[in-house]
Amino acid sequence: MSLEVRGVTKAFGSLAVLRDLNLSVEPGEFAAVIGPSGSGKSTLFNLISGLDRPTSGEILVQGAPASVASGKVAYMPQKDLLFPWRTVLDNTALGLEAQGVRKKEARRRAGELFEAFGLDGFQSSYPFELSGGMRQRAALLRTVVLERPVLLLDEPFGALDSLTRTEMQLWLADMWQRYRWTVVLVTHDIREAVLLADTVHVLSPRPATVVERIEVPRSGPRGLDALSEPEFAATERRLLDSLSGRVSRVNEVTAG
């Protein structure tokens, strides 16, 4: 497995955020994590990336304990976090430079991906000159150029308008089919999860655990045509039932 989360519990003082959570991702798999707001999805990412440690349980990345020092996880947060005073090329090379790669080499390696990421010709531009979708592509380029085994994407398109979001989802689907990265995506968008992911892990409300793992059936490439497939609609419905059913049961218990 590229990633194994085994019986992880995380609490902040008396507040339990995750409880006995299990999740595994195979090499080259695109996995999505979806759950109610406040269910601990970002906390889970902080644990996988090694920015925090679980209260109990363990997280293994390629068989080794998760840690920042391992260099096995690349984390793209919700905001693109591009520095306005650096050119797009310098922004995308920043992660490599932070790892000790010389600036010239870092720029060369990042620059090789600009055409594939639809950014060719914007190497010398600044972030304010890019559209929202282009900024997100630059942020993803900065993430994948690190060549780490696991990519964590935390709501990467959440701030985009609906049309741009759909465009970026289709673009990411195409890029994944080209490069076969191992990806874990956090999202609140059921359609996004079904369009992009091979498997969807449904979280309960806090303290979160995985209540269902759903495999996404596919009869062809990931694109607009997939949205009209009966299997797509059925998987969306199953996800919605899983989420709403769990929330409803919790609310009934609380009301009682």
Side-chain angles (χ1 to χ4, degrees):
M1 291 292 176
S2 286
L3 172 65
E4 293 179 90
V5 180
R6 299 177 175 175
V8 163
T9 292
K10 179 62 181 179
F12 298 94
S14 61
L15 177 64
V17 179
L18 306 177
R19 178 178 294 166
D20 195 25
L21 190 148
N22 295 282
L23 183 152
S24 61
V25 181
E26 297 180 356
E29 180 181 340
F30 198 127
V33 177
I34 192 167
S37 295
S39 60
K41 298 183 291 295
S42 293
T43 296
L44 175 62
F45 267 20
N46 286 337
L47 298 176
I48 295 173
S49 62
L51 295 173
D52 201 352
R53 294 183 179 182
T55 304
S56 62
E58 65 176 351
I59 299 175
L60 303 178
V61 182
Q62 290 191 323
S67 70
V68 173
S70 72
K72 293 184 177 182
V73 175
Y75 187 175
M76 179 179 167
Q78 295 180 28
K79 297 182 179 179
D80 59 64
L81 301 180
L82 300 177
F83 290 140
W85 60 88
R86 293 178 70 108
T87 66
V88 177
L89 180 57
D90 286 339
N91 264 290
T92 56
L94 184 60
L96 290 171
E97 290 180 47
Q99 290 184 168
V101 178
R102 291 186 177 182
K103 184 175 181 178
K104 183 177 180 180
E105 173 64 12
R107 286 164 58 91
R108 183 193 66 78
R109 287 166 58 178
E112 288 180 345
L113 294 174
F114 267 64
E115 182 176 357
F117 277 68
L119 294 169
D120 198 26
F122 291 88
Q123 286 87 339
S124 299
S125 300
Y126 287 87
F128 76 89
E129 299 176 277
L130 304 183
S131 67
M134 292 176 73
R135 290 176 66 104
Q136 290 304 98
R137 291 202 298 271
L140 183 60
L141 193 161
R142 180 185 57 199
T143 304
V144 303
V145 75
L146 299 174
E147 298 182 340
R148 295 184 176 180
V150 176
L151 302 181
L152 304 181
L153 308 181
D154 188 357
E155 298 254 29
F157 310 135
L160 302 177
D161 63 82
S162 179
L163 185 61
T164 305
R165 184 179 184 124
T166 299
E167 177 186 334
M168 289 300 297
Q169 289 167 350
L170 294 172
W171 173 81
L172 179 58
D174 182 66
M175 292 294 287
W176 178 83
Q177 287 170 164
R178 177 175 177 177
Y179 289 101
R180 294 290 173 168
W181 302 310
T182 301
V183 178
V184 185
L185 168 77
V186 157
T187 181
H188 285 95
D189 187 331
I190 291 175
R191 175 156 291 189
E192 180 173 86
V194 178
L195 178 63
L196 293 175
D198 299 308
T199 56
V200 183
H201 303 261
V202 181
L203 299 187
S204 68
R206 191 175 64 234
T209 191
V210 175
V211 295
E212 190 168 10
R213 176 184 179 277
I214 298 174
E215 294 189 10
V216 181
R218 301 196 186 278
S219 57
R222 305 175 188 207
L224 286 175
D225 290 344
L227 303 181
S228 61
E229 294 177 358
E231 296 89 347
F232 190 99
T235 305
E236 277 192 305
R237 180 67 190 186
R238 182 178 171 187
L239 269 170
L240 183 60
D241 288 344
S242 183
L243 287 165
S244 61
R246 171 60 61 164
V247 172
S248 297
R249 287 195 292 274
V250 170
N251 288 340
E252 289 172 4
V253 171
T254 303

